[in-house]
């Protein structure tokens, strides 16, 4: 009886110790838009305003017409608005046909992945307004593109590509 009790105690102790020795899973990576890592200075003052659900730090997936998922573990490495401003400044800095001064305000209502039966896509929507002296130009942002792969990294790359295309279309409108 005593040996059975000791054997049971040893087995319990070994199970408990083996559970404690396992390392916790590695945290999910944080994400940075590739275009935000490029340096470039635009003479324009750029301001990006995000819908409040986009400004929570997590990457956003739209699951249906009414459901959004803001990731808790797959997060932006720095505030999304800062990354978007820097990436847009780099895109605009490469254009020589822009006005020397002015203010470019962008309001984004979507910057997210969207799940659909036809296939998952990245989507960017919003508006922009350029003010120079007394003149004002306005436009809409409507971009959608395929996600070339699986996972959050593929979504981030697709959104970065879309943001570069948005910057190029704004440049064309300002010529």
């Amino acid at each position: 009886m005593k040996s059975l009790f000791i054997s049971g105690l040893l087995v319990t102790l070994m199970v408990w110790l083996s559970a404690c020795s396992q390392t916790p899973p590695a945290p999910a990576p944080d994400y940075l838009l590739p275009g935000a890592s490029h340096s470039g200075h635009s003479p324009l003052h750029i301001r990006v305003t995000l819908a409040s659900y986009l400004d929570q730090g997590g990457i956003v997936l739209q699951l249906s017409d009414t459901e959004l998922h803001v990731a808790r573990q797959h997060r932006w490495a720095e505030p999304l608005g800062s990354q978007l401003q820097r990436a847009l400044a780099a895109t605009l800095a490469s254009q020589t046909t822009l006005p020397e001064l002015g203010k470019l305000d962008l309001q984004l209502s979507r910057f997210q992945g969207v799940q659909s039966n036809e296939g998952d896509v990245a989507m960017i929507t919003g508006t922009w307004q350029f003010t120079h002296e007394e003149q004002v130009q306005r436009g809409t942002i409507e971009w959608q593109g395929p996600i070339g792969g699986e996972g959050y990294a593929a979504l981030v790359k697709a959104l970065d590509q879309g943001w570069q295309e948005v910057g190029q279309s704004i440049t064309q409108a300002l010529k």
Side-chain angles (χ1 to χ4, degrees):
M1 178 82 160
K2 203 178 202 182
S3 65
L4 184 60
F5 174 75
I6 292 175
S7 296
L9 185 61
L10 285 174
V11 167
T12 304
L13 185 60
M14 288 174 53
V15 168
W16 182 74
L17 286 175
S18 69
C20 290
S21 68
Q22 294 179 354
T23 58
D30 289 342
Y31 296 89
L32 186 67
L33 291 170
S37 63
H38 298 132
S39 63
H41 176 71
S42 171
L44 304 178
H45 172 69
I46 300 169
R47 185 179 71 174
V48 177
T49 305
L50 302 172
S52 62
Y53 75 94
L54 295 173
D55 206 13
Q56 295 182 22
I59 297 175
V60 176
L61 294 173
Q62 184 173 340
L63 306 175
S64 72
D65 290 343
T66 58
E67 293 177 281
L68 290 175
H69 171 72
V70 180
R72 290 187 196 145
Q73 293 185 355
H74 297 276
R75 303 185 59 78
W76 294 110
E78 68 175 295
L80 180 58
S82 298
Q83 292 185 65
L84 293 170
Q85 285 174 316
R86 203 167 51 250
L88 185 58
T91 299
L92 296 178
S94 67
Q95 307 299 316
T96 58
T97 59
L98 287 177
E100 289 298 314
L101 298 172
K103 182 178 177 183
L104 181 60
D105 287 310
L106 299 99
Q107 293 197 345
L108 295 183
S109 54
R110 286 178 154 176
F111 192 85
Q112 63 209 41
V114 178
Q115 291 182 340
S116 71
N117 293 335
E118 294 82 39
D120 298 345
V121 295
M123 187 174 287
I124 305 169
T125 62
T127 60
W128 61 267
Q129 177 177 302
F130 176 73
T131 307
H132 177 60
E133 296 174 352
E134 298 298 318
Q135 295 182 331
V136 176
Q137 285 181 269
R138 292 182 176 93
T140 59
I141 299 168
E142 301 266 341
W143 182 89
Q144 180 175 312
I147 300 171
E150 294 289 323
Y152 285 92
L155 172 58
V156 168
K157 287 179 183 177
L159 288 168
D160 183 67
Q161 176 64 38
W163 192 240
Q164 290 177 32
E165 290 179 24
V166 165
Q168 292 166 359
S169 70
I170 291 172
T171 299
Q172 292 298 317
L174 294 178
K175 283 185 176 181

